[in-house]
Amino acid sequence: MKAGIFGAGYVGLVTAAGLASRGLDIAVHDTSKEKIATLTAGGLPIFEPGLEKLLAEQHITYIQTAKELVTSCRYLFLCVGTPQAKNGEADLSFLESAVKTICRYADSDKIVIIKSTVPPGTGRLMEKLSETMNIEHRITFVSNPEFLRQGNAVQDFLFPDRIVIGSDDDETGTEVLQLYKQWDCPKLQMNRESAELTKYAANTFLAMKISYMNMMAGLAEKTGANIEDIERGIGSDSRIGKDFLKAGAGFGGSCFPKDLRALASIGTELNEELPLIRETLYINENQAKAVLRKLSTVFGGLLGRKIAVLGLSFKPMTDDVRSSPAVSAAEQLLLLGADVNVYDPLVRDNPVAGAVKSPSLLDCLEGCDAAIIMTEWDEFREILKPKMLNKLKSPVIVDGRNMFQLKEMKKLSREFPLYYDSVGRQRVNTLLTANKIK
């Protein structure tokens, strides 16, 4: 079976590689000629662990013209962006453009499979659009949302928890399921609106778990509790589960913040209250500020202080800085009058105007009053080495990702005067008592 992919981003390329690895004949098109040229030459326009190797092992055709993709494939996967519009709604312009292109060039019946995250009713809306443009051939729309985590997307696609197919036509839904016949996992069929809303419901629920733990972290600090013990205590309950219970500086990326705002916008449009969604966003948007207040407490303000921000991507194993708490923290530090060094082992360009992007962890720490960990890259564990700590004017570390165990930090603080604060745990402080803050 031959399938075409619209979009050579994270979702499109992972989908292409995954389907090709299971025997499908795959072609990929993107409106960016540069991306297609890069892929044709054997390069990769994005970073995703394991993707380059998997793509190299497959025979995938990269096509410059949309017409060739449409005319050569019966199944067309839409993996285009649905970014957040100014009013919070999902911007469907890229999706609409792709559908119009399919309608323009369709020379036979087509099945369009929407993997992009879209509001409920989008499939029906696209179907109506196609009916106004192409009356000669039948163009059927199916919802097949992706559930991929950046940094683990390849494994998530090859070994998913479930595959969701939304179709108002059982025959078409069953035909699309045949594309996944080699996948051994639950396959759930439902109508389009249910499938579309399932993606939003899944992402917002996971985001709520993170914000819930960050809310509890503030309470843990004030009661003498340890949020990591609480994570273990409730995560051991099979009704709750262990995933997405880690407190920290908040979530970011291209999905959670955008999808929560889009769902809130849907609720507003339909006059349906969604208070948990709005509170989840509120807690998350204030979490980076809460971490920065820990720094301010040490120095009595940040004006004129030089701070090293460790990490720029919203999570490790990706170079994605969209809605990154790390970028937000660096920008807020600048607004508070601090000088800011930033370092990330994977992010190439500097997304923070006014900050100095350092070439290495050692350079980033040089002459700084404190360091704040905003992305849990393994490399940042090196900061506890004396040659790293000695680069700081005073060894002050605020750990926004709880990278280090408290026992480890308490032991270090007995050997090396240290101020260490984290999220939802008691601080370790032998530095102020030793009167060594500079």
Side-chain angles (χ1 to χ4, degrees), residues 213 224-236 405 424-425:
M213 292 309 293
N226 185 325
I227 194 63
E228 291 182 327
D229 291 335
I230 298 166
E231 289 167 11
R232 291 188 292 113
I234 67 175
S236 300
Q405 295 294 314
R425 309 184 299 180

Side-chain angles (χ1 to χ4, degrees), residues 14-182:
V14 172
T15 299
L19 291 174
S21 73
R22 301 296 170 89
L24 274 72
D25 187 1
I26 300 296
V28 176
H29 167 72
D30 195 282
T31 55
S32 170
K33 293 183 178 181
E34 291 79 9
K35 279 187 179 181
I36 296 300
T38 297
L39 289 162
T40 302
L44 191 62
I46 61 171
F47 175 82
E48 179 63 35
L51 180 57
E52 187 172 16
K53 180 176 184 295
L54 186 61
L55 280 172
E57 294 170 349
Q58 314 308 321
H59 176 69
I60 296 174
T61 305
Y62 299 105
I63 296 176
Q64 286 281 5
T65 66
K67 181 179 180 179
E68 183 182 351
L69 187 79
V70 174
T71 56
S72 63
C73 300
R74 170 169 171 76
Y75 306 99
L76 295 164
F77 285 84
L78 300 191
C79 304
V80 299
T82 53
Q84 180 183 314
K86 289 183 179 179
N87 61 1
E89 295 178 356
D91 180 354
L92 301 179
S93 59
F94 296 112
L95 193 77
E96 291 177 358
S97 178
V99 170
K100 289 178 181 178
T101 297
I102 292 169
C103 292
R104 186 177 303 118
Y105 296 125
D107 57 352
S108 60
D109 293 350
K110 304 292 179 182
I111 295 179
V112 178
I113 303 163
I114 301 176
K115 291 200 77 69
S116 303
T117 302
V118 295
T122 299
R124 196 172 303 280
L125 185 66
M126 294 301 110
E127 190 170 66
K128 290 180 180 178
L129 174 62
S130 71
E131 289 170 353
T132 66
M133 292 190 63
N134 192 317
I135 59 175
E136 185 176 353
H137 304 291
R138 186 182 182 216
I139 300 176
T140 310
F141 290 83
V142 173
S143 175
N144 174 213
E146 53 84 14
F147 301 97
L148 307 177
R149 296 167 294 169
Q150 282 183 243
N152 203 61
V154 171
Q155 291 300 304
D156 287 343
F157 190 91
L158 295 177
F159 306 101
D161 293 326
R162 75 292 200 193
I163 291 170
V164 174
I165 300 294
S167 174
D168 289 351
D169 177 347
D170 288 341
E171 184 178 339
T172 303
T174 300
E175 183 177 348
V176 173
L177 271 178
Q178 282 297 107
L179 300 176
Y180 293 101
K181 64 182 180 181
Q182 294 194 47

Side-chain angles (χ1 to χ4, degrees), residues 287-361:
Q287 194 62 18
K289 295 177 183 177
V291 174
L292 292 186
R293 284 196 292 271
K294 296 175 180 293
L295 268 183
S296 188
T297 297
V298 181
F299 300 110
L302 294 171
L303 181 64
R305 294 291 181 174
K306 188 176 181 180
I307 308 299
V309 176
L310 306 186
L312 288 169
S313 59
F314 81 96
K315 62 185 287 189
M317 300 309 294
T318 179
D319 58 356
D320 195 343
V321 298
R322 287 175 288 184
S323 298
S324 170
V327 172
S328 175
E331 291 173 342
Q332 290 176 48
L333 284 168
L334 289 167
L335 290 174
L336 292 170
D339 295 323
V340 178
N341 286 358
V342 297
Y343 170 68
D344 189 286
L346 198 59
V347 176
R348 294 178 182 177
D349 298 326
N350 186 0
V352 185
V356 175
K357 190 171 186 298
S358 302
S360 70
L361 176 60

